[in-house]
Amino acid sequence: MEIVLASGNKGKLKELQSKLGHLADFVAQSSFGLETPEETGSTYLENAILKARFVSEQTGLPALADDSGLSVDYLDGAPGIYSARFAGEEATDQENNDKLLVSLQGVPHIDRGAAFHCVLALVYPNDKPDPILCEGIWRGKIFEAPRGKNGFGYDPLFQPDGMECASAELSPKHKNQISHRGKAMSMLASRLTEQDD
């Protein structure tokens, strides 16, 4: 089965291919010359469905969208659905990380609780069958300075619960097993396998 990834994020495509490549052939939306539509939803779920539905309608193929982000307890859940554009519409990962560190300046480590959230939406052309929706959450804390070179986004600042390292210090394989996206992808793998039975 060919599934179009409704995202321009190369890191997400790589993670999906390594975790679910045995179940489907994932193709980037850029292969069809598509850009991601504006995320006008107020939740991860709404944005994931919006993006997947748009790409499925444009290509006539099943489309998978991921909407994910980081919610920080001290910031009342921010940056949340605005994680990718926390420091502005065209912000880089570095700029978003810098803004987060400034926002938490002086906050003790114990009060820097956070969680990564991921919602995956697999939408089929004309919504037949119904969309498959999967969610994963990964709790942790925000470090005072970046660590590690792996991953993307806020990985250099995120300390998973029960670990001494940052997410960016984990191997891609290990991260895929325990992360928010990894949990959502495991659920999706189960659902796709059930469909094939």
Side-chain angles (χ1 to χ4, degrees), residues 89-110:
E89 280 302 320
E90 301 295 319
T92 64
D93 287 351
Q94 178 74 52
E95 289 165 341
N96 286 328
N97 281 311
D98 290 346
K99 180 171 181 182
L100 181 59
L101 288 175
V102 169
S103 302
L104 294 175
Q105 208 160 10
V107 177
H109 194 69
I110 195 162

Side-chain angles (χ1 to χ4, degrees), residues 24-135:
D25 183 22
F26 289 94
V27 185
Q29 67 180 18
S30 58
S31 304
F32 297 88
L34 296 176
E35 293 289 323
T36 305
E38 190 180 345
E39 296 177 16
T40 55
S42 59
T43 64
Y44 298 115
L45 178 62
E46 286 176 11
N47 282 330
I49 290 174
L50 181 148
K51 291 186 283 189
R53 197 163 271 150
F54 171 80
V55 169
S56 182
E57 285 169 359
Q58 297 298 311
T59 62
L61 293 167
L64 179 68
D66 154 315
D67 201 55
S68 50
L70 178 72
S71 60
V72 179
D73 302 342
Y74 184 82
L75 303 177
D76 297 325
I81 60 169
Y82 304 104
S83 292
R85 47 194 191 276
F86 189 40
E89 280 302 320
E90 301 295 319
T92 64
D93 287 351
Q94 178 74 52
E95 289 165 341
N96 286 328
N97 281 311
D98 290 346
K99 180 171 181 182
L100 181 59
L101 288 175
V102 169
S103 302
L104 294 175
Q105 208 160 10
V107 177
H109 194 69
I110 195 162
D111 295 326
R112 297 166 80 100
F116 271 124
H117 298 262
C118 172
V119 173
L120 292 177
L122 177 58
V123 169
Y124 295 89
N126 306 314
D127 283 340
K128 304 284 185 217
D130 290 338
I132 295 176
L133 306 172
C134 305
E135 183 175 11

